[in-house]
Amino acid sequence: MGVIKRKICLLGTFAVGKTSLVQRFVNDRFSDKYLTTIGISISKKLMPPVHGGHAGSAAQHEFLIWDIAGLEKFDPVVMNYFRGASGALAVADLTRPETVDELATIGDQFLSVNPRAALVIIGNKFDLIEDRSDTFSDYQLLAADFGSALILTSAKTGERVEEAFHLLSQKIEPPNG
Ligand code: GDP
Ligand code: MG
């Protein structure tokens, strides 16, 4: 079975939980304090097999997950950060509706660099939401605009974090598909 390296970016403005989601997924950890100094950290994770191509051949993605601090300041460095990515987890904060508009801008920029990339939209910090019947319509609209489902996650409890990364892996085209 072939292993294909795939660059994945975390998108979203300051403090939505990008670093926390990566830490939860890769190391199954959560902390209240992550460094917010500017810099890029890259984590590796082997994903479950995805099926595609002819004769149902299976392949596995090895995710190289790029997490950047300082993405909220738009500069040319951000475009270099996006380059060559196959997909992105695009994160908004369920406790801060203004992060949806910011994510729309960042998502457009990402897709202008990588038009064929897959996106999964995440509403994070679901553990802080008291009314779980809320439909989060602004978040749903953003997800629909980007051709994605909305996944409501908590990096703190781990709820649906793995599912979000796995969905992204499935949305990325197999090499001979
Ligand atoms: P980033 O700037 O997008 O990388 O955000 P961080 O991962 O550094 O998270 C910002 C703050 O939100 C930190 O204090 C985290 O502990 C907190 N945080 C992140 N995800 C969650 C979550 O799902 N639930 C709660 N309650 N706090 C979270
Ligand atoms: Mg961070």
Side-chain angles (χ1 to χ4, degrees), residues 8-13 16-18 20-22 25 88-96 99-100 103 119-126 136 138-140 142-144 146 148-155 159-168:
I8 298 302
C9 292
L10 269 289
L11 309 181
T13 192
V16 294
K18 300 179 297 296
S20 300
L21 287 162
V22 175
F25 181 58
L89 287 181
V91 188
D93 182 335
L94 292 171
T95 69
R96 289 186 296 149
T99 62
V100 171
L103 186 56
L119 281 188
V120 169
I121 305 294
I122 289 182
N124 187 43
K125 308 194 185 179
F126 196 37
F136 300 105
D138 290 353
Y139 298 78
Q140 295 282 4
L142 177 80
F146 285 114
S148 168
L150 175 68
I151 312 277
L152 303 178
T153 62
S154 168
E159 182 174 3
R160 298 191 77 187
V161 173
E162 196 170 88
E163 180 189 340
F165 280 91
H166 288 186
L167 178 62
L168 182 60

Side-chain angles (χ1 to χ4, degrees), residues 5-76:
K5 289 191 192 325
R6 297 291 197 185
K7 176 176 172 178
I8 298 302
C9 292
L10 269 289
L11 309 181
T13 192
F14 177 72
V16 294
K18 300 179 297 296
T19 301
S20 300
L21 287 162
V22 175
Q23 285 298 317
R24 170 59 72 197
F25 181 58
V26 174
N27 299 317
D28 202 16
R29 271 204 300 254
F30 179 81
S31 159
D32 287 330
K33 300 180 198 70
Y34 288 116
L35 292 179
T36 51
T37 46
I38 292 181
I40 294 174
S41 97
I42 302 173
S43 313
K44 273 195 209 179
K45 180 93 173 179
L46 189 62
M47 304 300 288
V50 287
H51 293 274
H54 57 274
S57 57
Q60 256 176 305
H61 293 140
E62 181 178 53
F63 273 6
L64 303 172
I65 305 167
W66 287 49
D67 176 29
I68 196 173
L71 186 55
E72 49 283 350
K73 296 187 200 110
F74 294 118
D75 66 43

Side-chain angles (χ1 to χ4, degrees), residues 4 77 82 97:
I4 311 138
V77 170
F82 292 161

